[in-house]
Amino acid sequence: MRKAGGAAAGLALAEALGATVARAEGRSDRVDDFIDSVRRAKLYDLSHVWDENSPIASVNPPYAMELNATHATPAEDPNGTRGAFGDGGKLSFTSEIQKWSGQHGAPSIDAIGHIGRNGKLFHGVDARAATSDHRGIGRSGVGAHLDIAHYPNDMLVNRGVLLDVARYVNRNLQPLPAEFPIDGDLLDATARYQGVRIRRGDTVLIRTGWGQHFEGNPVLYKGDFSPGVNVPGGKFLVKERAKVVGADTLTFEARPPIIAPGTADFEVFPVHMLLIPDNGINIIENYLLEDLARDKEYEFLLVVPPLKIRGGTGSALRSFALVPKS
């Protein structure tokens, strides 16, 4: 009886171990299959290269970067600082100091606390109180949830839709002219032309073709005039329940970003106010959308990874889109 009992116990243990191994292998297979599916997707890099020559909106401080430690020896660079640890020169390192704003980058995303209307942020948060501590949005204890560190985790990966307005208007990849407002009717017509439907919660990207000017003609890119969404276009995006919107221009909305100058209804950045403080919709600017447009990829998985900076008004992005390979 003991032998039989011991054999039964051993068999049960072996079966349990076998089942555990099988479950582990099943999990590994599932993860491997997922990794393979992602690797089989076509990746579109939506980011320009960023440096001190990149076009920046005049309302933002200039960008600067310099190395504070280099690989050079003192003999090679007497005025420099060599990154080393006193090991006789075996190891060297380099590091940098950057000066920049959260609204710098190509692309870059605005935090919800970046824009206010009439002294209020999204959901009526007191704008002045939210920035009374200069360390950042919400560091005063008011409105902390509106900084870029609170960008929702479930939006780091989202369904993206490209509305290629430039192709719809021009029937080719040429950019739109500088003074070209994009209203809701045009956005709707573009979606119909492409055969796509905006779903609630989508990230909607709008192509004007001006991404070609980011490096090709940066003076034009950051000039006083550029195509972009106007207030009726912004209202269309709100009605369609977009969660995040973006474009391949410096300010997303049509520039100059003003309405009704010289009247009591005069507003600066009216689309920003409509989208961010009125409706809690993040705005992404400076996207590179040319490759998606060339391949007519209008629906995709979009990855938007802001830096998790407490109190930050926005963040540069290394954003990309994934589509199944045909």
Side-chain angles (χ1 to χ4, degrees), residues 15-25 27:
E15 289 176 346
L17 290 174
T20 300
V21 171
R23 285 196 298 271
E25 289 177 346
R27 285 194 297 269

Side-chain angles (χ1 to χ4, degrees), residues 149-158 304 308:
H150 285 81
Y151 186 74
N153 285 346
D154 61 0
M155 293 300 295
L156 297 174
V157 177
N158 195 36
V304 175
K308 206 168 183 178

Side-chain angles (χ1 to χ4, degrees), residues 40-115:
R40 285 195 298 269
K42 187 171 184 179
L43 187 148
Y44 290 85
D45 188 348
L46 306 181
S47 303
H48 296 276
V49 175
W50 188 261
D51 64 22
E52 70 279 2
N53 298 311
S54 298
I56 298 174
S58 59
V59 296
N60 286 322
Y63 171 84
M65 172 181 150
E66 63 178 347
L67 298 178
N68 69 312
T70 75
H71 292 294
T73 66
E76 294 169 327
D77 184 7
N79 298 319
T81 299
R82 185 171 193 251
F85 288 99
D87 61 352
K90 296 176 183 177
L91 178 140
S92 65
F93 68 90
T94 184
S95 57
E96 77 277 358
I97 297 173
Q98 295 188 63
K99 298 177 182 178
W100 59 308
S101 159
Q103 276 63 59
H104 289 169
S108 59
I109 185 170
D110 292 338
I112 297 301
H114 172 52
I115 297 290

